[in-house]
Structure formats: C-alpha cells, structure tokens
Amino acid sequence: MLVHAIPSNAAYEFAADVRAGLMRRGQKELPSKYFYDNVGSALFEVISHLPEYGLTRADERLLRRHADEIVDRLAGPVAVAELGSGSGKKTRWLLEAFCRRQRTSYYPVEISRSALVMCERELSDIDAISIVGFEREYLDGLLEVAAYRKSGQRLFVLFLGSTIGNFDRPAGVKFLADVRGILEPGDSLLLGTDLEKPSSQLLRAYDDELGVTAAFNLNLLARVNRDLGANFDLRQFAHEARINRETRSVEMHLVSKRRQSVTVPAAEVVVEFVQGESIWTESSHKYAVEEIIETAARAGFRCETQWIDEEWPFAESLLIAA
Ligand code: AVI
C-alpha cells in the first residue's frame, strides 16, 4: 500500500489543542480525535470485541448481510474512500463485492498510521484491489482522494462505526455538508450511525467490566505524557461514563481523584485540578432513524435507503449527493 504521510505540524496542533482544552474556564476538555495513537487504536480494536459494546459488530453484520445489495445500487466504475478505516475488517465485505464486479481503488483516510498499516494487512489479499492510504484528517484526505478521481468514475465514501456520533449535532451536519461539498452530484456516502438505546445499556458499553474503555480513556493522558512530556499521574484520574439526556449522548470524563497540578512542557502550561473536577474527553451522540434522514437532507444528501440491525439498534444509511 502506498501511504501519504501526515504533514509534520501535527505535533504543534496537538500541543495547541491540549493547551486550549486544559486552560478553558469551566469544563476542561481534550478532543477525542487524539485517542487514536498506536496504543489507543489497539485498545479500540479490543473494545470492538467486548460483549458490552455491540456497535462495531452491528455495523459489520449489516455490511456483511447487505454488501451485494449496496454495491448493486451503485452503478458504473466506483472508487471507494473510507474516512477512519480503523483495521478495515468490516469494510472487507463491501470491497469484495465491488472487486467481484470490477477492479477497485480503495482509499482509506486515517489519522492513525498504525490503523492504516493494520488496514492494509487485513485487505491486501482481496483480488483486483488497489489500496492507497492517506494519513490525514478526514476532509483533507477526502480532498486529495477526489483529486485522484478518473473521468466518469463515481466516488463512494464510507463513514462507518458511528464516528458521526462523536460530533455534536450541529457539527455533524456541518461535517456532512463539507463532505458533500467535495463530492459531485450522484456520488454517494454510506453512513453508519448508532441509534438510541436504554441508558443502562449505554453505561455498560462505555464503562465495561474489564476496564478496557477506562484504559482507552486514560491512554489520552498517557499520550500527553509521551508526546508532550507531561507528568499526569494516571492513577490519580478515574474514568467515568455519563448520560447527557439533553444532548442524547454518552460522555466520557477523566475525574481528578484529588487536588493536583500537572505540567505539560510542550504546551507551555501548568494545569490545576481540584478534587472531583473532570476532563471531558468524548461524547457519543445517539440518533433516531428519521433524524438521520433529516440530518442528511440538511447537508445536501438524499437518503436512498437504510438498513437497521435489530440485535443492537444501529443504522446503515445510503446517501446520495443531491
Ligand atoms: C469511534 N467511536 C464511534 C466510538 C464511540 O462509540 O463513540 C469510540 C468509543 N469510545 C468509547 N468506546 C468507543
């Protein structure tokens, strides 16, 4: 696989985001996109196997069951781009179905290099596939993929795993509208979205018994230590999952167990914590089925069809650029 590597200002952006998030008045925060270094990507892979976290398996089940039907609905030569490919495991079904029809170019866009490497290992045995990976933020990567488009070729974008849920709702619409802005009419987007479910089920999914999600969350502090030279004492922070009914989301926080101060040299800050104060690290918004159609319409897409998993409420929506 050819990999286009990330530009070197990423470390500065990380330091700037950490500084801005930890120096905020009121709720401190760190952006969830920084979960996915090598350790975080490996932990997320484990989360996807946990009995409490059915999201990834539901996504994969739908893709496995409906891959042929999805591909049949997309006529002509198609290049496939995936925003956040992860290990690429669940994409195999779709790519195999495309490659049975025609030689297919697959462009995974990932901020995690280790995920790109896993993805290539997982998928390179498929006959008639060519893989070119982009170590980029989603929209930057998609812009580059669009520049690769051959004349007469349609782009089919995958945004799976309910990553859309990690944006707040207005930002989700804006993100989809930005994707739409890069596409041409008739191109398509397959959007995987986790649906609303009981709070007790969500709390178990985001605070599992084994403590893998806790490790995934705490790894963000470990990454700040590793990459920015900070001195977070991981044992002095506790993972917590909270339901936010207003935003219909599950939030993850890291709660300071005592009064403490932490230095982050590369971000040039010393951060003070009082006991019980938290860093908000992620929100996972859950959607109603009809809401996905309305959200897509506001971003300039028509919903062609949806497939719903009954075992773990989750929707795969095929959206066409209007
Ligand atoms: C990647 N994303 C959709 C996952 C989610 O469910 O929000 C990340 C995750 N956070 C905790 N567990 C998994």
Side-chain angles (χ1 to χ4, degrees):
M1 174 176 67
L2 183 62
V3 174
H4 294 273
I6 200 159
S8 56
N9 63 359
Y12 293 106
E13 272 174 37
F14 184 34
D17 286 346
V18 167
R19 184 186 167 83
L22 295 183
M23 294 309 281
R24 279 186 59 139
R25 274 170 206 227
Q27 177 67 65
K28 292 179 171 60
E29 61 183 63
L30 287 172
S32 59
K33 67 177 180 179
Y34 294 115
F35 280 138
Y36 304 94
D37 66 349
N38 291 355
V39 178
S41 296
L43 287 168
F44 181 65
E45 178 62 23
V46 179
I47 289 175
S48 71
H49 294 280
L50 294 174
E52 296 98 324
Y53 189 83
L55 189 157
T56 313
R57 288 186 298 281
D59 199 9
E60 187 176 354
R61 224 170 6 251
L62 288 169
L63 296 175
R64 193 176 58 225
R65 280 188 193 149
H66 303 290
D68 287 327
E69 191 188 342
I70 294 169
V71 169
D72 285 348
R73 284 174 182 267
L74 303 170
V78 174
V80 182
E82 180 163 17
L83 309 181
S85 60
S87 70
K89 224 190 307 169
K90 55 183 186 287
T91 315
R92 164 174 288 277
W93 311 102
L94 278 173
L95 292 174
E96 283 182 344
F98 273 115
C99 288
R100 279 195 289 275
R101 184 170 86 182
Q102 67 192 86
R103 183 157 192 90
T104 301
S105 299
Y106 171 58
Y107 303 108
V109 178
E110 253 299 337
I111 47 174
S112 159
R113 173 171 278 249
S114 63
L116 274 182
V117 171
M118 272 199 274
C119 176
E120 122 103 331
R121 225 179 272 147
E122 173 71 29
L123 300 172
S124 58
D125 67 319
I126 299 176
D127 272 347
I129 196 165
S130 91
I131 307 179
V132 179
F134 289 85
E135 191 185 348
R136 296 277 192 280
E137 300 269 344
Y138 298 144
L139 294 173
D140 294 342
L142 186 58
L143 264 173
E144 288 189 49
V145 170
Y148 269 61
R149 177 206 289 267
K150 299 192 187 83
S151 108
Q153 198 175 40
R154 291 251 188 251
L155 257 190
F156 177 45
V157 180
L158 306 175
F159 195 37
L160 305 174
S162 201
T163 303
I164 188 71
N166 296 135
F167 294 86
D168 65 32
R169 285 169 213 274
V173 176
K174 162 122 186 17
F175 180 78
L176 294 180
D178 288 344
V179 169
R180 171 64 191 88
I182 297 171
L183 301 183
E184 291 179 3
D187 287 342
S188 47
L189 170 68
L190 189 67
L191 182 67
T193 316
D194 201 23
L195 300 176
E196 291 173 305
K197 41 188 69 64
S199 300
S200 54
Q201 189 178 3
L202 288 175
L203 287 173
R204 279 197 303 277
Y206 288 83
D207 191 7
D208 63 276
E209 260 191 341
L210 258 182
V212 184
T213 309
F216 175 69
N217 199 7
L218 282 161
N219 177 56
L220 191 47
L221 302 186
R223 181 179 183 182
V224 178
N225 286 351
R226 283 191 295 268
D227 294 0
L228 304 179
N231 62 348
F232 277 105
D233 179 351
L234 269 53
R235 290 193 174 75
Q236 297 306 330
F237 286 86
H239 165 69
E240 197 176 297
R242 299 178 188 167
I243 299 294
N244 186 328
R245 288 184 204 289
E246 212 176 299
T247 58
R248 288 182 290 137
S249 69
V250 197
E251 294 179 355
M252 297 211 304
H253 290 256
L254 290 164
V255 183
S256 177
K257 292 184 186 171
R258 60 172 165 86
R259 185 185 183 88
Q260 54 186 316
S261 77
V262 175
T263 308
V264 191
E268 296 177 337
V269 287
V270 177
V271 192
E272 303 293 338
F273 291 90
V274 297
Q275 185 177 5
E277 182 178 10
S278 79
I279 309 172
W280 170 36
T281 53
E282 185 187 63
S283 287
S284 294
H285 296 79
K286 305 303 170 188
Y287 279 76
V289 180
E290 329 72 60
E291 192 187 358
I292 301 168
I293 302 176
E294 289 154 21
T295 302
R298 276 195 277 144
F301 289 97
R302 168 179 66 74
C303 183
E304 165 103 357
T305 185
Q306 290 180 302
W307 296 271
I308 313 289
D309 191 70
E310 302 297 340
E311 208 176 302
W312 176 280
F314 188 96
E316 222 69 78
S317 306
L318 181 59
L319 310 177
I320 311 294

